[in-house]
Amino acid sequence: MTELFRADFVRLWKNKVFWGCMALMAAVEAVVVLNGCRQARLLAAEGYLRSLDDYYFGTSVLLGLLLALTLGLFLGTEYSDGTLRNKLVVGHTRREVYLSSLLTGFGAALLLTLALFLAGLVGIPTLGLWKMGLRGALLHVLVILCAAMALCALYTLVGMLSGKKSTTAVTVILLFLGLFLLSSWIYSRLNEPPMNSGIIITAAGMEMAPETPNPNYVGGALRQVFEALMEFLPTGHIMLILNGALTRPLLNAAASLVLTVLTTVLGIVLFQRKDLK
């Protein structure tokens, strides 16, 4: 299996789409942080202080999308180019083929995360180090990496069961967007206040209106379900990071690893049964 993984990773290393995504990841992160430096200087003149934390992890959502694009096209060629058939013909088992593809995806996730981390360092001369400290920053990076690995497992499941390159690429991108939109919706619902209040204009001027129950507030068992989904979904972790609401990074990282294992086991079982024409 070592030779199989080495061959897959060499193929990824020579993939132009992968390097394009790497360059885009680094460029967008650097631009966002440098623009944040410019904003921070303007706000500092007005008495508002900003830190590196406010901008550093803002592009983590792009990582999931670029990973979907990279692996969608990479895994799609397994069928279209006959690579998958050749691996099985020379004696590799289906489990080895599946795990090799998954590990290659993990490698892509690690390199894209590294590109994000290193590119964001351009903001240190202006904004200084993270307010959360180096440990806090590394925990955020760990959560991002584990979330990316969980997404890799989902993308590999789709890619190894799909027989068409175009279908694989479109499906994994839509999968990421769907999960991210779901996480965004859940997060917004969880942040709805239990009571609504407002201002009314009377003859005496503006007065506070009586508080009324918010129909959009989520409570009870449904709230617990929504909170569990935010803690379990990798896109939920990304949403928490984007909003500066990551409070249990080790739990989130562990949840992503559990999802990775479960998805991998399911993928191997389904791939073993798949009819490879």
Side-chain angles (χ1 to χ4, degrees):
M1 180 173 161
T2 302
E3 294 180 357
L4 188 60
F5 169 66
R6 186 183 298 115
D8 279 344
F9 195 79
V10 168
R11 190 160 65 89
L12 176 70
W13 194 258
K14 296 179 180 180
N15 191 296
K16 294 180 180 179
V17 174
F18 167 68
W19 284 107
C21 290
M22 282 279 290
L24 183 60
M25 183 77 257
V28 172
E29 172 69 10
V31 168
V32 168
V33 173
L34 289 175
N35 185 59
C37 293
R38 181 184 63 82
Q39 292 179 358
R41 284 193 292 265
L42 295 175
L43 292 172
E46 300 178 6
Y48 298 98
L49 298 180
R50 290 290 183 269
S51 67
L52 187 61
D53 308 42
D54 298 322
Y55 309 104
Y56 198 87
F57 302 105
T59 59
S60 53
V61 61
L62 181 62
L63 188 150
L65 184 60
L66 293 179
L67 193 58
L69 178 61
T70 298
L71 293 186
L73 295 175
F74 180 81
L75 295 173
T77 59
E78 291 283 280
Y79 288 92
S80 61
D81 294 351
T83 307
L84 179 60
R85 181 183 60 233
N86 294 336
K87 291 176 181 179
L88 296 175
V89 167
V90 298
H92 295 293
T93 65
R94 294 194 181 199
R95 182 179 64 84
E96 290 175 338
V97 171
Y98 190 98
L99 290 177
S100 176
S101 298
L102 179 63
L103 291 175
T104 303
F106 287 169
L110 176 61
L111 291 173
L112 283 168
T113 304
L114 185 62
L116 182 155
F117 180 80
L118 294 178
L121 298 179
V122 298
I124 291 180
T126 301
L127 299 172
L129 293 173
W130 307 269
K131 272 189 176 181
M132 65 180 70
L134 179 60
R135 180 179 180 276
L138 291 178
L139 284 175
H140 275 65
V141 172
L142 175 64
V143 172
I144 292 173
L145 177 59
C146 290
M149 291 172 63
L151 290 172
C152 277
L154 292 171
Y155 300 158
T156 303
L157 172 64
V158 173
M160 297 303 289
L161 298 180
S162 175
K164 294 183 179 180
K165 179 179 179 180
S166 58
T167 302
T168 301
V170 172
T171 302
V172 295
I173 290 175
L174 291 178
L175 174 63
F176 172 76
L177 293 177
L179 288 174
F180 185 73
L181 290 175
L182 174 62
S183 299
S184 300
W185 178 76
I186 292 175
Y187 185 79
S188 65
R189 290 298 305 274
L190 288 174
N191 279 277
E192 288 284 348
M195 303 294 289
N196 282 329
S197 60
I199 298 175
I200 58 175
I201 300 177
T202 65
M206 290 187 297
E207 297 179 0
M208 293 296 299
E211 290 189 339
T212 57
N214 183 0
N216 294 321
Y217 176 74
V218 178
L222 182 59
R223 187 173 190 85
Q224 294 179 347
V225 172
F226 279 8
E227 290 175 343
L229 285 173
M230 288 299 295
E231 297 289 352
F232 186 71
L233 291 175
T235 48
H237 306 162
I238 293 175
M239 180 58 57
L240 292 174
I241 289 175
L242 291 177
N243 289 276
L246 188 70
T247 57
R248 297 187 286 184
L250 293 179
L251 176 63
N252 296 143
S256 289
L257 293 179
V258 169
L259 178 60
T260 300
V261 172
L262 293 177
T263 305
T264 300
V265 172
L266 176 63
I268 291 175
V269 171
L270 294 178
F271 187 61
Q272 293 277 15
R273 300 177 180 179
K274 180 176 174 58
D275 180 18
L276 301 176
K277 297 179 181 180

